[in-house]
Amino acid sequence: MQKEKQQYTALFSLGNLSYDQDFLKNASKIKGIQEIWPVVEIPVTIKTDDYTKTTVFNGIDLNAFTENFSQDNLGNAPLLLLGSTSLENMKDPNGHVISKKQQNTYLKIGKELAITYTLDSISSNKSSTENSSPISSSSSMAMDNSGNNISSASWFPCKVAAILPGENDQIYIPLSQARALCSEAGTPLTVTKVLLKIKGKDNLESARQLFE
């Protein structure tokens, strides 16, 4: 009974669905649905120390989370909300996967963790978004998850805002910053996922089947 009174949060891929009024109308009929938040994906490679990983930044309105995060004067450095397993599968230059112990060490650093990123969809020498101030960056050699070299990639700084509780491998950034990165990459801002808040474990599982 207790599980049916709890609120659950889950991220779902839209697949072939479009995030429009028809979708919202149908989604609002999901039993137990409480909130629906659109999410956009930004393909990136992240790096901390010598470890790198190909992943995505999930752009979302940070009001979707219970903790209050200041979104004023964000600047250019993406504000990251790291899932507790978001650093899994990072690899060093020799292709060795990061250990659980090292992941926990990084996550304990929290807001002081130094993470940089490079956009996967643009060349490293593409100029920054118009009217934005320059971002300091460094160039280096790295490897993606397949062991391929990322030559002379330009790495830009991130700011860790929080470590999200639970077994979550996602990385979230403010929607406004996702919009800026899409502009820089020359790609449209497209909603590809939704974050749903649903009351009741059974209702969550029913909603999950709808998106499979």
Side-chain angles (χ1 to χ4, degrees), residues 4-22:
E4 297 313 308
K5 295 180 180 179
Q6 292 181 11
Q7 183 187 77
Y8 295 87
T9 301
L11 188 67
F12 295 104
S13 174
L14 287 177
N16 294 325
L17 298 174
S18 297
Y19 184 82
D20 52 23
Q21 291 301 317
D22 285 340

Side-chain angles (χ1 to χ4, degrees), residues 135-155:
I135 308 174
S136 60
S137 65
S138 60
S139 296
S140 63
M141 294 290 290
M143 303 181 77
D144 63 17
N145 286 352
S146 300
N148 300 314
N149 287 331
I150 304 172
S151 301
S152 301
S154 293
W155 298 94

Side-chain angles (χ1 to χ4, degrees), residues 46 48-49 51-53 82-92 96-110 113-115 160 163 166-171:
I46 59 172
T48 182
D49 291 337
Y51 291 99
T52 60
K53 176 182 179 179
L82 299 177
S84 61
T85 60
S86 60
L87 302 183
E88 281 187 346
N89 299 319
M90 296 192 84
K91 293 182 179 180
D92 66 15
H96 298 142
V97 178
I98 190 171
S99 67
K100 187 70 174 180
K101 181 179 179 180
Q102 186 60 58
Q103 291 177 59
N104 291 336
T105 298
Y106 285 142
L107 293 174
K108 286 180 180 178
I109 298 174
L113 179 61
I115 292 183
V160 177
I163 308 298
E167 296 298 315
N168 188 326
D169 63 353
Q170 306 297 330
I171 300 176

